[in-house]
Amino acid sequence: MVIAAVAVVVTLAGCASAVPRADAALPPPAHGDAVDLVGLWRVSGAEAESPDTWLRLDAGELHLWRECGPLLGSWQAGGGIITASTWGAAGECATDGVPPDVAWLAAATTYQRTDEGWEFRDRDGVPVASLREDGAPGTLPTIAEQYARAPVVTERTRAYFTEPPALPDPLIAADTSSLVGGWVPASGTASDAHAQFAPDGSWAGSDGCNGGTGRWVLGVDGAFLATAGVSTLIGCDGVPVPAWVASARLAGFDGHTLVLLDSTGSELGRLEPGAAR
C-alpha cells in the first residue's frame, strides 16, 4: 500500500469484536465472480455507517472510507464466501489511538449480486450491507489520490482470484466443528508455532516469533479463506503457520491431521491438534 508521505499515522488493531457464528460450512449462494467485487462502492444499510461511506476493494486489500478518513484492512472472497477485517486507520478515524471496530464487515460471510451492485450477508443469511457504484470520497492531502478512486482490474488482479481445484483425495473436507481449536505443526518443533481458530470467526497464531491475527470462513467442499493483519518481522527458526493460514484456499483432513492447501491445490503445511506453549 502506498500512502503519500508525512502526516499519516496508521494505528493497528486486532480482530473486530462483533462476529458471526461459525458452526457449519456455508452453502454456495447465487453469486458472481469474486473479481467483480473489485471496485469503489458506496455502502448503505450497514450498521453505524453514514450515507457518505465507501468501500474500496482491490486484490486482497480494502479501504473503508468514512468522513474521518480511511480504515485499512484485508479481505478474501471466492465461491460465494467472503471474509474481511480492518487492522488500522489513517487520519482521524482512530479514537485514543485505537481504530474502531466494523461489526458489519466482520459479520459478512457471503456475497450476492443485486440489481444495483452487491449485498453482503451474515452466516444466517441476514443482509449486513449493500454496495453500489455512486460517487467517491474526497481526497486527503496525506493519502495518495489513487485510493479514492476505483482500482483498475488487470490480469494480475484476475489471477489473484483464481478458484482452487477440488480438494484432492484422500483428504476429507474440513467443517467448522473439526477446525475450531488449537493446532501445532505436525512435524514437531521446538518453537511456539501454532494457530488457534475461534468459533467467532477469528484466528490467531505465531510462527514462533511473530504473531498473526485475522478472520476465517469455511465454504463447502473444503473451501477456506482467511485474512491477516500486519505482523512483526523477527527472524527465528520457526514454522510459518500464520503464512499457511493466510495463503490457504482449501482445508481438509488426513485422519486427524489438518492439511492446508493454496489456490493451486499445493500443500502448504500440516497441523495437529495442540495448544500454544
Side-chain angles (χ1 to χ4, degrees):
M1 179 178 304
V2 180
I3 298 182
V6 260
V8 173
V9 177
V10 175
T11 309
L12 307 181
C15 301
S17 59
V19 289
R21 293 186 298 108
D23 53 3
L26 295 167
H31 60 82
D33 293 337
V35 69
D36 294 336
L37 286 163
V38 172
L40 181 65
W41 311 97
R42 186 186 288 268
V43 179
S44 61
E47 182 180 2
E49 299 293 355
S50 77
D52 291 323
T53 299
W54 287 266
L55 180 63
R56 185 184 191 272
L57 299 175
D58 203 350
E61 68 177 34
L62 69 82
H63 292 71
L64 182 67
W65 282 90
R66 290 175 166 173
E67 294 177 349
C68 57
L71 304 185
L72 317 176
S74 59
W75 68 291
Q76 299 289 349
I81 59 173
I82 187 170
T83 186
S85 57
T86 54
W87 46 258
E92 301 176 354
C93 288
T95 302
D96 296 327
V98 179
D101 289 340
V102 186
W104 65 268
L105 194 59
T109 54
T110 63
Y111 59 94
Q112 192 165 354
R113 281 193 182 276
T114 66
D115 292 339
E116 291 188 322
W118 298 92
E119 187 173 74
F120 288 173
R121 298 182 178 185
D122 67 15
R123 187 167 297 274
D124 295 319
V126 177
V128 296
S130 294
L131 311 179
R132 71 182 190 277
E133 291 182 333
D134 179 24
T139 58
L140 297 174
T142 53
I143 305 294
E145 288 187 10
Q146 71 187 73
Y147 294 110
R149 301 193 301 265
V152 176
V153 176
T154 64
E155 288 305 310
R156 185 176 180 181
T157 308
R158 295 186 183 281
Y160 182 87
F161 292 97
T162 299
E163 293 287 343
L167 193 69
D169 292 332
L171 299 184
I172 304 301
D175 60 26
T176 302
S177 61
S178 57
L179 188 61
V180 167
W183 300 89
V184 296
S187 58
T189 174
S191 72
D192 187 28
H194 67 277
Q196 181 80 29
F197 297 99
D200 65 10
S202 64
W203 72 271
S206 174
D207 64 2
C209 298
N210 305 282
T213 60
R215 299 196 59 74
W216 64 277
V217 65
L218 269 175
V220 296
D221 299 327
F224 175 89
L225 296 172
T227 65
V230 295
S231 177
T232 56
L233 294 173
I234 301 171
C236 70
D237 188 20
V239 180
V241 174
W244 293 350
V245 174
S247 301
R249 295 297 178 269
L250 294 166
F253 281 94
D254 183 359
H256 294 292
T257 300
L258 173 63
V259 184
L260 298 176
L261 305 97
D262 66 15
S263 60
T264 69
S266 299
E267 188 172 312
L268 292 164
R270 291 180 171 237
L271 300 167
E272 294 179 344
R277 288 195 289 271

